[in-house]
């Protein structure tokens, strides 16, 4: 049961963003820029960063939502599960493995993002912008995870819900739009 009154048709972050749209807008704009804006990282790679951070924070809603989104935008069903459960053998580039480790460390204790880890990422091809964006995405999703769990948002258990949400994110990105969640709770 959420700690504040939220629209029951909008679980997780969706209800919180709807509750306070003035604070939601700048967060949505930053999320759109980082996850869907110009980048040398693919949208799928950026969704994987959001996924591993959310998993590290044990935020069930965000982990499920961004796992589904990573699969949807990458077109690779199950890629998020492989990255979460066996990152060393996941089918991603060495650069991405380094960036995901940087994201995990940023989530757990950002002070453990060492010069050696950054040097390894650079040697694997990571640019300064990719390093910057990885850490900022990780920090942003720590905010989202704490926001969702701190206000006890409802977390659906039906995987189909997250697939519908992923399709909304894939099609419409993160900015607000009219009837944005019209199909979210469709059966």
């Amino acid at each position: 049961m959420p700690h504040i009154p939220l629209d029951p048709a909008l679980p997780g972050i969706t209800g919180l963003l709807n509750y306070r749209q003035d604070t939601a807008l700048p967060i949505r704009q930053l999320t759109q820029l980082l996850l869907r804006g110009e980048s040398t990282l693919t949208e799928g790679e950026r969704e994987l960063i959001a996924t591993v951070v959310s998993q590290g924070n044990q935020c069930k809603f965000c982990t499920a939502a961004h796992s589904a989104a990573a699969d949807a935008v990458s077109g690779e069903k199950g890629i998020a599960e492989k990255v979460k459960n066996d990152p060393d053998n996941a089918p991603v580039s060495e650069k991405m493995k380094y960036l995901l480790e940087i994201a995990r460390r940023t989530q757990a204790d950002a002070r453990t993002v060492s010069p050696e880890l950054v040097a390894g990422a650079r040697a694997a091809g990571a640019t300064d912008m990719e390093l910057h964006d990885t850490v900022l995405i990780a920090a942003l999703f720590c905010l989202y995870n704490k926001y969702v769990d701190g206000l006890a948002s409802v977390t659906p258990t039906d995987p189909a819900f997250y697939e519908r949400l992923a399709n909304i994110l894939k099609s419409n990105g993160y900015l607000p739009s009219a009837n944005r969640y019209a199909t979210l709770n469709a059966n």
Side-chain angles (χ1 to χ4, degrees), residues 49 53 95-110 112-114 117-122 126 130-131 134-135 138:
I49 293 167
V53 169
K95 174 181 82 172
M96 197 61 206
K97 288 178 184 180
Y98 275 103
L99 293 176
L100 291 167
E101 181 60 24
I102 289 170
R104 284 185 188 92
R105 289 194 188 190
T106 298
Q107 172 271 315
D109 180 353
T112 66
V113 178
S114 66
L117 183 58
V118 171
R122 282 193 175 112
E130 291 169 340
L131 290 163
T134 295
V135 170

Side-chain angles (χ1 to χ4, degrees), residues 14 26 34-35 40 43 48 55 64 69 103 122 128 132 140 153-154 159:
T14 61
L34 289 172
L35 272 65
T40 52
E43 291 178 1
L48 288 173
Q55 181 185 24
R122 282 193 175 112
D128 287 346
H132 173 277
L140 179 62
S153 286
V154 173

